[in-house]
Amino acid sequence: MAPIIRSSPALAFLVLQISFIFFASTLPLSSGSEDGYTITGRVKIPPSNVIGHTAKSSNVKVILNGGQSVTFLRPDGYFTFHKVPAGTHLIEVSAMGYFFSPVRVDVSARHHGKVHATLTETRRSLTELVLEPLREEQYYEIREPFSMLSMVKSPMGLMVGFMVVVVFLMPKLMENIDPEEMKQAQEEMRRQGVPSLSSLLPSAGASR
Amino acid sequence: MAMEIRVSLLLLIFLSSAVISFSLYEDQVGLMDWHQRYIGKVKHAVFHTQKTGRKRVIVSTEENVVASLDLRHGEIFWRHVLGTNDAIDGVDIALGKYVITLSSQGSVLRAWNLPDGQMVWETSLHTAQSSKSLLSVPINLKFDKDYPVLVFSGGYLHAVSAIDGEVLWKKDFTAEGFEVQRVLQPPESSIIYVLGFLHSSEAVVYQIDSKTGEVVAQKSMVFPGGFSGEISSVSSDKVVVLDSTRSILVTIGFLDGVISFQKTRISDLVEESGNAEILSPLLSDMLAVKVNRRTIFVRIGGEGKLEVVDSLSDETAMSDSLPVADNQVAFASVHHEGSKIHLIVKLVDDLDTVLLRESIQMDQHRGRVHKVFINNYIKTDRSNGFRALIVMEDHSLLLLQQGAIVWSREEGLASVIDVTTAELPVAKDGVSVAKVEHTLVDWLKGHMLKLKGSLLLASPEDVAAIQEMRMKSSGRSKLTRDHNGFRKLFIALTRAGKLFALHTGDGRIVWSMLLKSPSKSEACQRPSGISLYQWQVPHHHAMDENPSVLVVGRCGSDSSAPGVLSLVDVYTGKEISSSGIGHSVVQVMPLPFTDSTEQRLHLIADTEGHVHLYPKTSEALSIFQREFQNVYWYTVEGDGGIIRGHAMKSSCAGETADEYCFTTRELWTVVFPSESEKIISTLTRKPNEVVHTQAKVSTDQDVLYKYVSRNLLFVATVSPKGAGEISSVTPEESTLVVYLIDTITGRILHRLSHQGCQGPVHAVFSENWVVYHYFNLRAHKYEVTVVEIYDQSRAENKNVWKLVLGKHNLTAPISSYSRPEMFTKSQSYFFAQSVKTIAVTSTAKGITSKQLLIGTIGDQILALDKRFVDPRRTLNPSQAEKEEGIIPLTDSLPIIPQSYITHSLKVEGLRGIVTAPAKLESTTHVFAYGVDLFYTRLAPSKTYDSLTDDFSYALLLITIVALVAAIYITWVLSEKKELSEKWR
């Protein structure tokens, strides 16, 4: 998980860079008017490669200052907030399946509503207000495909494994022990009064 | 001892290491959770019924939702929930393909694509003053291939292109005192008439060229009596208005720009007199006036002569008029008669011609009809058929067609204001639980299928079969109590004053009940609900009694209005009793005492500083008098910045004869300086929360005692400047201060100040900790802070010898008056999202670790383990700390997508999250409400005390069989071997 998180901003940055080439010249960021300024931006969602995600831009919301005003995306991905006073604002994007960093937006009164935007999560400043998801979000665990290893690892697999070891390997182990040593060990154990392994396995002991 | 601790710790780590996130497989969706989508009470409806394509109705609601509904089944094609202060003023369809909405007091105009709901354009309109907002989409107005939409709002008239939202022209009407009442556009004319009043006494008509927006002509005329403001336009050149005394109807004609008045006394029309009211439906050449609880229809003749044509009883809802074939206009009216409603469609010109008369049996718990919208269609025999969309008093939406209810939507559930839980009845002997299980063969087959599924060997058909089997498995929607406490009822009170019981299994409505007014007076026709309490929960005694809930309501919106109490049986949904209590309701306090029938005692404080005890029985009174000295409560005055503590004083027998009424005395006050601090949030622990362990053992054998008190109040204040929306102030201007206040003594136990921070504060208080979310202006990010409170006075009890010799103070009585010795630990983290609400999971015994449930701005719910907000987190935890499960400190809290409990769903318009414990310790119910409803069952530490649904019994069986076979084979083999050895 962690390496994915770490690498994705860099990736997003790359995509952003490419997008700048196309959109940098066309973006009107803000315009002044009598009652506040206008913030215009664009949400760009890359085509999803995760199955099951239908990233419809009609279900994307753009939220100013934690719910003070909510707007939606136009078919081309643009959004606009009207009548925004000069100052510092926070823009969040809510889109199912994607995580967007909140954006700090400074609207300057001195420069007629010039907008300066910074991603608060990565502290990277944007020259144009084009918002890209930091990462895709997968809400479900992915089922591991069937493998012998997971079978063996499961409690029941362990049980079976242990039984196999006891049934087939233990007699083999017993066989390898020198009969003299075995007897000595048995004597010692009997003297200590500890129930010996051989007494638990009478067939193995008796056969010798 | 130490060994034991270590073992248990290891076990805990083993358990917890697996529990980082909630995690759900995609095929598990819908097994434990359900999601219901609503839109809210409908304000406007526009039908879109073309001959081809889907028939739909576009609605806008009081929850700021614009939606497109399927007219055949009532399902939602698409919907959009606008912002909370973006109320919709009007909705219409333009060009046959765009839905136009006007919102935010007429300052935002949006167009949505009709088939899929994609926003096409958005235009901000300039507004200067608050006034009526009118949206009109003229059908036949066209110039230069453009179809303008006319919007009047905020003193301006705008013509906006329907194609791209461009403002074609705007006209300023903000001249002093001029209030626009109507914008009329006569058909086949390019002239728009704008009618308004100047100082409520002068009628002014502007004629405007619809192409350029220029004023062609302007006429005004003074009316000596003055107008009352209500206006009804009856035709393209006449409006009717009431004068300021509300007894004279004035017809204003402005044919060709010439204004003429014509007065008619209402007393001349009908015998009854009194204050009249013009009703809103738009009828052509006719208007509806409400006089003395009757509705009269007045026709306007050619020369402005008025005549009464019909009169109806008061409880009638009417639709706007609708053009039907042959230049005729019809309208619908709906009225009640017993348990039936009657829908009548008449022609406006000829009220004797009834086009349609239908009677429909209607559920009593839907109340009166509030709104009617009609639509016509051509039947196969070329006659007119009508369908009517009606909005009921409980906010439900129904479609009537051919004398039957085609579909209904319980839209009341979009405005839930309070939720509580209730148990289901115990299964009777007659009802066998085993009936659900089939024969052993079926059972085995099912499990084989499941096994195949879990091994990913199943074919798609098998997967479908498994899914179906799971959905109806183990009687999850049965109406009886189950062993694990998974089946429960959530009782929800809605703004309309309706109570719904929702089953946790599948979310269906078990029963619903509309609150009734105890008195039949005019002032209180329908009480509005305030809150819900558990009144009677039989456990040990009174087992044969049904549990019940207490609904507190009031008559009217004012806080000093008299209250209404209603007791509702949870099993049946019947109202046991309902009474007006004759005093106001400011605060309801459930007391920790119950009487012999397990009815909980409640205190209700009124505006006069008295408290009233309920239930009003002598037994309750004697219980209360025993505990009289130990009852305290506090009040928060947000405006004044004062928190007051109160105690009981005496019975208020001196003033009234009511022996259940008590006077109180003020014990303490905490006054916050109004120039620097404003209370924005207060919070206490849930009174019914269970705390399992009082102490926390850390790895270095240290014991920390939790300061667990029911009387702690968390208060957050912010500088008055910073009380508004986030980002509205500079960091220097705003400081957030939080307090922990003991509500018995008024002692401030802890104070923490955050420089350069502001609200809104969303907090959760559980056990000995508070977690709160606020905005940090310096970093321009949200922050979450945790404060944990520990008891210092019991800290010396660490010595084992003291415990052995009994020299500890653990059994010493704890008094709320004694000065608590406590210390706090706190830590702050960044959080990457705005938050709407925070809750915490609750389990039956409080053993299971806790999760925070964070309702984010995207209307999702994130489950965050409490271990992430632990003040003992450090950058480099030692080995021992790691073993304890302490996570290395990071500057922000992680948002793991798999731990969204709402997975790929949204709880649109999320307002609250309620948690309730199941009987099984590991499990907790979570219910979230907003415009949508969502329920799921959570196991914060996984289901350690039960097998999951996925548990493969078949695999277990196979293993056992295999083992038995192996034992038998090896036995046979060893016998053979032994025999051969003996022969040797």
Side-chain angles (χ1 to χ4, degrees), chain B residues 161-220:
Chain B
S161 158
I163 292 165
D164 55 4
E166 198 110 0
V167 176
L168 300 172
W169 51 259
K170 71 176 176 187
K171 177 80 191 84
D172 189 351
F173 286 109
T174 49
E176 216 168 299
F178 182 71
E179 284 176 63
V180 172
Q181 298 292 339
R182 273 289 183 274
V183 178
L184 297 170
Q185 194 255 326
E188 280 122 47
S189 157
S190 63
I191 299 293
I192 301 164
Y193 291 90
V194 176
L195 174 81
F197 300 147
L198 203 58
H199 306 297
S200 296
S201 61
E202 191 176 348
V204 185
V205 172
Y206 288 96
Q207 290 182 42
I208 292 172
D209 186 352
S210 64
K211 286 191 173 62
T212 57
E214 272 162 34
V215 176
V216 178
Q218 178 194 354
K219 287 273 153 51
S220 67

Side-chain angles (χ1 to χ4, degrees), chain B residues 608-859:
Chain B
E608 278 151 33
H610 296 314
V611 290
H612 304 264
L613 178 70
Y614 293 90
K616 289 195 170 183
T617 57
S618 55
E619 190 195 353
L621 192 64
S622 69
I623 294 169
F624 182 67
Q625 259 152 3
R626 224 178 298 142
E627 303 286 345
F628 195 69
Q629 295 301 322
N630 295 329
V631 176
Y632 300 87
W633 89 97
Y634 66 92
T635 49
V636 179
E637 292 165 28
D639 300 332
I642 303 170
I643 299 175
R644 295 175 203 276
H646 306 270
M648 293 293 137
K649 194 166 145 199
S650 63
S651 176
C652 49
E655 297 159 50
T656 52
D658 187 0
E659 56 179 326
Y660 301 99
C661 163
F662 300 92
T663 56
T664 61
R665 63 198 157 93
E666 201 173 290
L667 282 180
W668 51 265
T669 49
V670 176
V671 183
F672 297 100
S674 60
E675 67 275 8
S676 63
E677 294 185 34
K678 184 178 189 301
I679 298 173
I680 51 168
S681 173
T682 60
L683 184 76
T684 55
R685 272 178 59 196
K686 265 199 214 168
N688 54 357
E689 190 189 51
V690 186
V691 180
H692 182 253
T693 44
Q694 296 264 319
K696 205 172 189 176
V697 184
S698 59
T699 35
D700 49 350
Q701 309 294 312
D702 210 357
V703 181
L704 292 171
Y705 287 92
K706 295 176 184 172
Y707 185 79
V708 182
S709 166
R710 289 194 193 286
N711 307 316
L712 274 187
L713 175 70
F714 167 83
V715 181
T717 68
V718 73
S719 315
K721 268 191 169 177
E725 300 281 350
I726 63 164
S727 308
S728 53
V729 284
T730 59
E732 291 73 33
E733 285 173 327
S734 183
T735 303
L736 179 79
V737 189
V738 300
Y739 297 87
L740 287 167
I741 296 173
D742 189 308
T743 56
I744 305 289
T745 56
R747 195 175 278 136
I748 293 172
L749 299 178
H750 186 63
R751 181 181 187 274
L752 193 64
S753 118
H754 300 273
Q755 301 285 336
C757 293
Q758 68 166 165
V761 169
H762 298 280
V764 64
F765 197 156
S766 168
E767 294 197 353
N768 66 324
W769 50 264
V770 189
V771 171
Y772 53 97
H773 176 270
Y774 55 91
F775 191 69
N776 184 334
L777 286 158
R778 277 185 218 283
H780 218 77
K781 273 177 154 185
Y782 285 100
E783 264 183 18
V784 168
T785 291
V786 56
V787 178
E788 291 192 354
I789 315 137
Y790 292 100
D791 196 345
Q792 187 76 62
S793 62
R794 295 195 284 170
E796 304 106 58
N797 299 328
K798 272 178 271 181
N799 193 328
V800 179
W801 284 110
K802 274 191 174 175
L803 286 173
V804 171
L805 297 173
K807 286 194 173 172
H808 58 84
N809 61 355
L810 289 181
T811 51
I814 297 167
S815 166
S816 293
Y817 291 119
S818 61
R819 185 180 174 77
E821 295 169 50
M822 37 90 66
F823 66 99
T824 59
K825 289 182 167 204
S826 60
Q827 211 167 54
S828 300
Y829 321 88
F830 287 126
F831 189 73
Q833 287 194 48
S834 295
V835 161
K836 284 186 166 178
T837 179
I838 308 186
V840 66
T841 58
S842 56
T843 53
K845 304 257 186 323
I847 301 169
T848 309
S849 64
K850 300 220 179 248
Q851 277 183 338
L852 298 176
L853 302 174
I854 303 172
T856 64
I857 190 80
D859 295 322

Side-chain angles (χ1 to χ4, degrees), chain A residues 63-65 89-92 102-103 120, chain B residues 726-727 775 780 782:
Chain A
I63 301 147
L64 181 73
N65 290 345
H89 304 278
L90 191 76
I91 289 178
E92 288 168 278
V103 189
T120 61
Chain B
I726 63 164
S727 308
F775 191 69
H780 218 77
Y782 285 100

Side-chain angles (χ1 to χ4, degrees), chain B residues 41-43 62 317 369-373 389-392:
Chain B
K41 187 186 183 185
V42 169
K43 282 200 286 197
E62 288 181 357
V369 178
H370 268 189
K371 282 198 169 86
V372 188
F373 304 96
L389 194 67
I390 58 172
V391 181
M392 304 296 289

